[in-house]
Amino acid sequence: MIIGVPREIKNNENRVGLTPEGVKKLIEQNHKVYIEKDAGIGSGFSNEEYISAGGQILYSLKDIYKKSNFIIKVKEPQEIELSFIKENQVIFTYFHLASNEKLTRKLIEKKCICIAYETIEKENGFLPLLFPMSEVAGKSSVILGGYFLSKVNKGKGLLLGGTVGTRSGKIVIIGAGTVGQNALKIAYGLGANVIILDIDIEKLKYLEDIYQNQIETLYSNRENILKVISEGDLIIGTVLIPGDRAPKLILKEDLKLIPKGSLLMDISIDQGGCFETSVPTTHENPIYEVDGINHYCVTNIPGAFSETSTKALTNVTYKYLEVLVNNSLEEAIKKYPELVGGINLYKGKCTNKVISKLYNLEFHKLF
Ligand SMILES: NC(=O)c1ccc[n+]([C@@H]2O[C@H](COP(=O)([O-])OP(=O)(O)OC[C@H]3O[C@@H](n4cnc5c(N)ncnc54)[C@H](O)[C@@H]3O)[C@@H](O)[C@H]2O)c1
């Protein structure tokens, strides 16, 4: 197989889809690996390291797509990449198609094979390729949120952990999955007051047991959300319905309830966002204001913590990559049945039920 590793071009995206160690293992299995020049720089891997591993450096994005039949990357293909994608080419990356109809339709036209990290789902509901990036996003959300509450960032000037004789901040986390639980770890460590909501009572019970009344848990419904947002200094949205668009849990009309200068962070923005007033932002311009409330909606938070994120991501993607490049798709799915959920688009056909319903596309069952 000829495998291509493009340099990520999304704003401030410093991750890379494959490490030199991964390249070395693929070369040992007689594959050819092309890496775009400087693709690994943002994650601490030099071109020389890729060459020593047996990879070949190419100097343009166009050549990576032209010469490879399997592309491994991190973020969804950007406009320029769409023009290079070839028929039958396999693209293995995060796609988040539920939040991007235009991209979905363009990829269908391209007749490529889109295997999405985020919809590879084990029988027990575990999302093995979303998990590590959700850990990064969850942990960094509180660090970044604390920073953007400072006065110099047009926040209310509150230090989340407080000091002796002053109040600590109140952090409201909506969604107690991987992002939510990792945000909770940091929030708790900071000494903030934390309240976490979910519709999954088992998750709330687990957190009550672990944190022994040091945090508050609450069932997520409209009434409770309206109550807690009126007390929140930092409100972090982390809900997910796998593969689907996120439900809108805070509406524009609710913003008047939130104290001025508080910060709304929509981590679910890659699935369309869980606040009505959320629009995707970049690391360069992460914040905007609606009705006096600051919003942070960066779609690729882990890209800013690239050393950790690239290692954490490739630790889990590599085993799937290896099975995909060494087998037919059908054989790969026999080895790892969860891969079937990852195949969102297949040679011009929509093979994901949720996406087909969202965009009124005919659903084709694969295997
Ligand atoms: N912005 C970024 O850079 C970034 C990075 C990583 C992950 N994410 C996104 O963060 C989101 C969460 O990921 P995760 O791995 O934590 O998912 P997860 O499946 O582990 O957790 C999601 C949680 O949301 C809960 N939930 C669903 N509907 C709810 C509702 N109405 N109210 C309250 N809770 C509800 C679920 O019960 C679950 O516990 C995903 O959209 C993921 O793509 C974004």
Side-chain angles (χ1 to χ4, degrees):
M1 186 73 87
I2 304 174
I3 300 147
V5 186
R7 185 173 63 82
E8 294 297 321
I9 49 177
K10 191 163 176 158
N11 182 282
N12 275 293
E13 183 48 76
N14 295 297
R15 288 171 287 179
V16 62
L18 192 64
T19 61
E21 196 187 329
V23 172
K24 187 165 178 273
K25 287 196 226 163
L26 292 171
I27 298 290
E28 282 164 6
Q29 294 165 63
N30 297 321
H31 298 290
K32 191 168 224 173
V33 187
Y34 290 120
I35 299 105
E36 190 182 347
K37 182 176 173 284
D38 293 344
I41 294 289
S43 299
F45 302 119
S46 66
N47 296 322
E48 291 69 33
E49 284 174 88
Y50 282 106
I51 294 169
S52 301
Q56 258 176 269
I57 301 290
L58 293 182
Y59 287 79
S60 79
L61 182 65
K62 190 176 178 183
D63 280 349
I64 290 283
Y65 278 89
K66 197 170 150 195
K67 293 193 170 188
S68 315
N69 37 29
F70 191 110
I71 297 287
I72 175 138
K73 58 192 276 26
V74 181
K75 287 310 285 183
E76 70 279 3
Q78 305 296 295
E79 198 63 37
I80 176 112
E81 294 180 284
L82 281 170
S83 59
F84 301 144
I85 292 175
K86 300 183 295 189
E87 198 169 326
N88 296 336
Q89 197 167 38
V90 181
I91 319 283
F92 191 35
T93 190
Y94 288 115
F95 281 98
H96 297 290
L97 294 180
S99 65
N100 199 336
E101 180 172 358
K102 198 172 146 205
L103 175 66
T104 309
R105 293 194 181 274
K106 284 198 171 166
L107 288 165
I108 286 176
E109 273 172 32
K110 287 284 165 182
K111 298 195 168 136
C112 56
I113 300 169
C114 300
I115 310 181
Y117 292 164
E118 72 279 4
T119 56
I120 293 178
E121 185 172 356
K122 296 249 198 180
E123 228 176 331
N124 61 3
F126 182 62
L127 301 165
L129 303 196
L130 187 63
F131 175 80
M133 296 305 95
S134 293
E135 268 188 288
V136 174
K139 286 185 171 164
S140 50
S141 66
V142 176
I143 297 166
L144 292 164
Y147 177 66
F148 285 109
L149 278 173
S150 67
K151 207 69 190 167
V152 289
N153 285 308
K154 302 197 176 89
K156 56 171 61 170
L158 177 86
L159 182 64
L160 282 173
T163 64
V164 175
T166 68
R167 77 173 182 100
S168 301
K170 181 127 195 178
I171 304 182
V172 176
I173 303 171
I174 310 177
T178 309
V179 174
Q181 291 187 24
N182 279 284
L184 171 59
K185 276 183 199 163
I186 303 298
Y188 176 75
L190 273 179
N193 292 308
V194 194
I195 180 156
I196 188 160
L197 299 91
D198 204 294
I199 47 174
D200 183 336
I201 289 291
E202 278 184 34
K203 281 191 181 148
L204 297 183
K205 178 188 175 302
Y206 165 77
L207 293 174
E208 283 277 347
D209 290 345
I210 296 278
Y211 287 91
Q212 301 274 336
N213 300 327
Q214 307 276 336
I215 59 156
E216 206 179 324
T217 59
L218 197 62
Y219 186 72
S220 174
N221 58 29
R222 177 105 182 111
E223 193 188 344
N224 284 341
I225 288 175
L226 291 187
K227 183 175 163 288
V228 294
I229 61 173
S230 66
E231 302 160 5
D233 296 300
L234 174 60
I235 299 163
I236 310 176
T238 77
V239 304
L240 173 69
I241 298 164
D244 207 344
R245 229 176 249 166
K248 303 288 179 217
L249 300 179
I250 298 180
L251 306 178
K252 186 171 191 303
E253 67 192 49
D254 306 333
L255 296 185
K256 59 180 179 298
L257 301 174
I258 301 173
K260 293 279 174 275
S262 292
L263 178 67
L264 275 181
M265 288 190 99
D266 197 339
I267 311 298
S268 306
I269 190 67
D270 51 0
Q271 293 292 128
C274 61
F275 310 140
E276 193 181 33
T277 43
S278 297
V279 287
T281 60
T282 61
H283 285 291
E284 214 160 60
N285 281 309
I287 300 275
Y288 63 95
E289 188 218 297
V290 181
D291 298 344
I293 305 299
N294 284 334
H295 291 53
Y296 175 102
C297 303
V298 174
T299 51
N300 62 332
I301 299 170
F305 302 94
S306 44
E307 183 192 317
T308 306
S309 301
T310 291
K311 285 178 185 156
L313 179 64
T314 53
N315 281 345
V316 291
T317 51
Y318 183 79
K319 82 168 188 186
Y320 293 105
L321 170 66
E322 194 174 278
V323 84
L324 283 167
V325 297
N326 283 321
N327 297 278
S328 69
L329 206 46
E330 204 169 353
E331 284 162 352
I333 288 165
K334 273 191 195 138
K335 290 194 176 152
Y336 294 127
E338 62 269 29
L339 268 174
V340 78
I343 307 165
N344 283 204
L345 305 176
Y346 184 83
K347 299 183 184 176
K349 292 174 177 156
C350 181
T351 48
N352 177 292
K353 256 192 193 153
V354 180
I355 305 293
S356 67
K357 214 167 150 194
L358 267 178
Y359 304 140
N360 210 8
L361 297 164
E362 195 181 337
F363 169 69
H364 292 263
K365 190 172 173 354
L366 258 193
F367 310 115

